Each structure stands twice: as structure tokens, then as C-alpha cells.
Amino acid sequence: MAIIPLPQQIEWKSGFYTLQADVRIFIDSTIQSPTDLGDYLADSLRDNIQCTLSVEDASEKPKQNCISLGLEEGNEKLGEEGYELSIHEEWIQLTAWKPAGLFYGIQTLRQIASHSENGQIPCVQIRDVPQYPWRGVLLDCARHFLDKEFIKRYIDLSAHHKLNRLHLHLTDDQGWRIEIKKYPELTKVGAYRKDGDGVYGDFYTQEDLREIVEYAEKRFVTIIPEFEMPGHASAAIASYPHLSCRGESIPVQTKWGIFADVFCPGKESTFEFLEGVLDEITQIFPSEFIHIGGDEAPRDRWKECPHCQKRMRENDFQQEDELQGYLIKRIAEFLASKNRRLIGWDEILDVGGLPDTAVVQSWRGMKGAIRAAQLHHDVISSPNQYVYFDYPQDEQQQKSKPNWMRMTPIETVYQFQPTPPELSAEDSRRVWGAECTMWTEHAPQEKIDEQLFPRICAFSETVWSPGEGRDWDHFQERLQSHLKRLDRMGVNYYRP
Ligand code: ACM
Ligand code: ZN
């Protein structure tokens, strides 16, 4: 019986429960949840039992021939997301402390039911609590645009694997993908790049994004928007050239890489723009955390820019790096005025003056995670040698990828530990979890399933399941059954 990610405690019992058309779902109608969990369960089981179970209020619970969902006050030990699932011969009981726990219990029940023959499912006792609160996936919809429906599908696939953060990389050198009403050129100009004789591009309206946010909320997924600054900004500068030091017109980039023209932190007009954009971003996305990029920002233009040099003199800065520190500090203050906190890639540790509230996402290995936690910053681990799923997973796939991409087989992913062992017990508490990344330079939408799957199944276990006793052979066995489920879900996972 293959459950992925593996629950914390699981005890199989003898006997079976039979799921059939007259089974009723009971749920207390006073439960405050963004999604109607009784209906969601009925929908989820429909494919397994070819009928829709009825959903009723829990005031009378017969303890037979039913699935009962309830919150248990006082069971705080289950936390926001834990659950207990008991499958007895007479009935099924799912309890949690909070609605998200019921949602994850439903995912487990769906997986158990998907193996059923004639509706028969084995009796079991499960108690399950996630290891980390931050379990994320990054989708890069800047390098290649990803359809709204595709993103919704990934919200469902992520949620089924008990992942709860979807990080959308919305802006980069090769495309600006988010409608900003105050700056319409961003999507008139910045959303499109030359592509042979034609153009490539698209963007999300604010309405599209609100729809995605709401869809995600119903599946207990928080959307984390990313607006890159000061680097990876060509599409914004192509739309508004005054944002760069030179103020000269540049194209939305058509090649992958790192580009010299970045936002000019010397000019006040740059901050007016950044804050204007962030103001609209915070209105669309309720997330407490807003990602502002911060990686791979060359200093070349700042060195020769009179505005930047003046800013350095005024602030007594010795190095251009400090200009990025200055920008981050101002942006963090702006976000704080809106009750939001900033997340940045680990380069933000190198620029001085990082506010205590900044969250660091470590991608250049785990060094950034270690340093950030020791400096008492909260941390998300995304080391490229473990969880960059644009990298190839075997030698065959490596042939079609750039040489610099390190081969990352699923077995390597399975060994990933979000918390670096170098940290003290106290500093370890700073590590909130991890995100795997799906950069799309070399993987347009139709290639994403085979890059993410099945590695994301292993990833889900590294962030949800207990770290001790992880067993690669056992995982591989469970994965074989899970792949059949993925087949039924229409996932085009990588087949060596
Ligand atoms: C990154 O991969 N440049 C965050
Ligand atoms: Zn400048």
C-alpha cells in the first residue's frame, strides 16, 4: 500500500472497509474552511467508486457505513496540518485540529482508495504531521509562459503531494508576466520578445491571478509572487528605459543569461516604480511573504552611473554591493508598511544591512542556508544540487541539456535534507522547509511534467515525512504503485 509522502505513523490492521454507493460522508457544517471538505472528498473518491457519495451534517454520526470528518479541539499536537485517519471495518474516521489537516487526510484516503478492488480498502491507523511548514514548488512562468489552467493543474498536483507553497517567478529578462495598471507598458512591451520572425509572449491579468490565488487557497496552497530586482530586469527596462542607469532603450532579451542593465538604485524614480508595482502585487496576493529575487545582479552599470555614485557618497558606501543592500532595506521597509515580509535569494546575504525580518532562500548549495540561520534569518532551502528540477535526471536526459547542468537523479533528491546538519538545534529551527524549482529556459510547458515527475514525489517526502529511517528501497516500491496513480491523473512523468 503506497502512500507518498510517507505518513509519520502508520499501522496496517487486518480486515477491510468497503466503499460503496450508499456510504455517507458526515461533516460538521460549522467547520470554517476555504473549501467545502465534504464535497471535496466526495469529488476525490468519485473516480475510485464510480459514484458520488452523499454529504450530510454530522449532528447524528452512526459510526457505520460512513466517513466521518471532524475537528478535535484540544488535539493541538496535530498542528495546523496534521491528521489522524482510522479505517475500521464499519466506518472511517478522519480527525484533525484544523481544516488543512482534514484536507491532507483526504489526500491520504484518496491514495488508499485508489488501490481498492471492488471498493475494499484495508483497515489502518494513521497519525501524520508534516516535518516542515514550508513545502514549495517554484514555477518559472517568465522564461516560458504557463497557461492559467496549467498552473491550476499544478496546484492540484502539488496539494495531492501535500505541498503548500507555489512560488511564481513572474518577471525576468525574457518576459514580464503580470499586469500592473499603473505601468501598462510592462505588458504591452515587456511581455513579448522576438522569436525568429515572430514574437513570443503573454501575461496574466490581475483577474487571472486573483482566480489562481483563490483556486490555490481552496487547496491550502499559498501563492508566493516573485518580482525580480535589481537584476533580471531587462523586460521592465525595455518597457521603461529610465529605470536603468543609462536610460537607454534595450530589448526584451531573447537569449538566456545574466544581463548588465539592471535597475538603477541611484534614482528616486526607480523606487517610485518598484513601490508602485509592489503596491499592486500586495493587492493581488494575500501572502505575508513577497519574493523580490535579488540574485545575479551585475554591478557594472552602477560603477559608472552618476546617480548611483552620488547615492554611494551620500551614504558613505565603499562598494557597489551596498547599493543593493540599500535597495533591499528600502523595499523591506515598504513591504513592512503593508504588513508583508521579504524573501530573497541567498545573494542578499552579501550586500550588507539585511533587515532581520528578511527570509533567505538558499540556492547556491546550502551555504546560504547555514549562514542565514546562524545570522538568525528564517530560511527556505532550495540547493541547486538537490532540488533544481530543470537539471537532467539521467545520462539520456543530459544529452539534451546544457553541459553546466549537474545530473540530479531521483535517488539524489531522496537524500536531500532541508536542514543542514552543521546547524545547532536552535539555529535549525530557522529552517522552515524547502522549495524545488522548475526553471523554464530549457523546459517549456509541455516538458514540465517530465522534469518535475517523479522527482517531486521524492521531494515531497523530504519535506513532509520524518527524516529518520528514510528508506530508498521502500520508497522505490511505493513509487511503482504511485506511478500508476499518476498515469490515471494524466501526468506525463519521466520514463527512462
Ligand atoms: C537562481 O537560480 N538564480 C535563483
Ligand atoms: Zn544608476
Side-chain angles (χ1 to χ4, degrees), residues 49-162:
I49 52 180
Q50 280 79 46
C51 62
T52 307
L53 303 182
S54 69
V55 182
E56 296 169 39
D57 199 321
S59 43
E60 21 112 34
K61 266 190 212 165
K63 297 201 178 185
Q64 57 180 346
N65 211 24
C66 77
I67 307 175
S68 152
L69 276 61
L71 296 184
E72 211 169 58
E73 273 180 46
N75 206 346
E76 290 100 335
K77 285 214 179 91
L78 290 176
E80 294 285 327
E81 304 185 303
Y83 64 92
E84 282 172 334
L85 174 66
S86 312
I87 302 181
H88 308 283
E89 288 190 20
E90 302 78 27
W91 66 309
I92 296 178
Q93 186 179 29
L94 174 58
T95 56
W97 187 50
K98 295 284 173 181
L102 293 178
F103 181 80
Y104 293 124
I106 290 172
Q107 304 311 322
T108 299
L109 181 54
R110 274 176 76 183
Q111 291 196 350
I112 295 173
S114 75
H115 288 293
S116 70
E117 306 250 334
N118 312 321
Q120 289 219 313
I121 59 175
C123 294
V124 70
Q125 178 71 37
I126 293 174
R127 185 181 190 284
D128 198 9
V129 177
Q131 201 193 358
Y132 292 98
W134 192 289
R135 306 179 300 276
V137 185
L138 175 150
L139 290 179
D140 171 8
C141 35
R143 271 55 171 268
H144 281 102
F145 183 75
L146 308 178
D147 297 339
K148 184 170 70 180
E149 293 310 316
F150 181 86
I151 290 181
K152 288 183 180 172
R153 172 172 171 267
Y154 260 91
I155 291 169
D156 282 314
L157 288 171
S158 300
H160 185 58
H161 292 81
K162 303 191 173 85

Side-chain angles (χ1 to χ4, degrees), residues 244-246 263-267 301-302 305-309 323:
S244 71
C245 291
R246 292 181 171 179
F263 291 131
C264 172
K267 299 183 206 172
R301 297 289 187 260
W302 298 352
C305 169
H307 306 283
C308 287
Q309 292 304 314
L323 283 172

Side-chain angles (χ1 to χ4, degrees), residues 229-402:
M229 63 183 80
H232 288 292
S234 301
I237 295 169
S239 312
Y240 294 98
H242 73 83
L243 296 170
S244 71
C245 291
R246 292 181 171 179
E248 289 167 3
S249 132
I250 61 166
V252 177
Q253 305 295 345
T254 56
K255 298 220 161 68
W256 316 123
I258 297 176
F259 298 87
D261 287 295
V262 301
F263 291 131
C264 172
K267 299 183 206 172
E268 277 308 295
S269 55
T270 303
F271 287 92
E272 188 190 322
F273 171 83
L274 299 177
E275 292 178 5
V277 171
L278 285 170
D279 185 46
E280 294 190 30
I281 286 181
T282 56
Q283 288 176 47
I284 302 165
F285 298 96
S287 165
E288 185 189 350
F289 299 93
I290 307 290
H291 207 300
I292 55 86
D295 57 323
E296 301 178 324
R299 316 302 190 204
D300 313 49
R301 297 289 187 260
W302 298 352
K303 288 187 178 152
E304 54 181 46
C305 169
H307 306 283
C308 287
Q309 292 304 314
K310 179 157 173 281
R311 179 86 77 199
M312 285 182 67
R313 281 193 304 279
E314 283 167 1
N315 289 278
D316 208 13
F317 293 157
Q318 308 305 310
Q319 293 175 20
E320 277 70 22
D321 290 343
E322 291 167 274
L323 283 172
Q324 186 171 349
Y326 173 87
L327 178 140
I328 299 235
K329 189 155 171 279
R330 275 186 69 169
I331 295 301
E333 281 163 12
F334 176 77
L335 288 173
S337 76
K338 307 206 169 286
N339 292 319
R340 310 299 177 98
R341 284 174 64 185
L342 159 164
I343 310 176
W345 298 108
D346 59 61
E347 281 93 333
I348 67 174
L349 286 166
D350 302 331
V351 296
L354 191 60
D356 295 342
T357 54
V359 181
V360 175
Q361 183 163 13
S362 185
W363 72 279
R364 296 174 300 175
M366 291 295 273
K367 293 189 302 292
I370 296 167
R371 263 177 73 210
Q374 288 171 343
L375 293 167
H376 307 297
H377 288 288
D378 295 315
V379 173
I380 300 160
S381 299
S382 294
N384 55 348
Q385 74 270 38
Y386 287 104
V387 294
Y388 265 42
F389 294 163
D390 52 331
Y391 291 7
Q393 45 212 315
D394 64 9
E395 275 160 21
Q396 182 59 33
Q397 212 177 35
Q398 193 150 36
K399 289 181 193 150
S400 61
K401 302 279 179 197

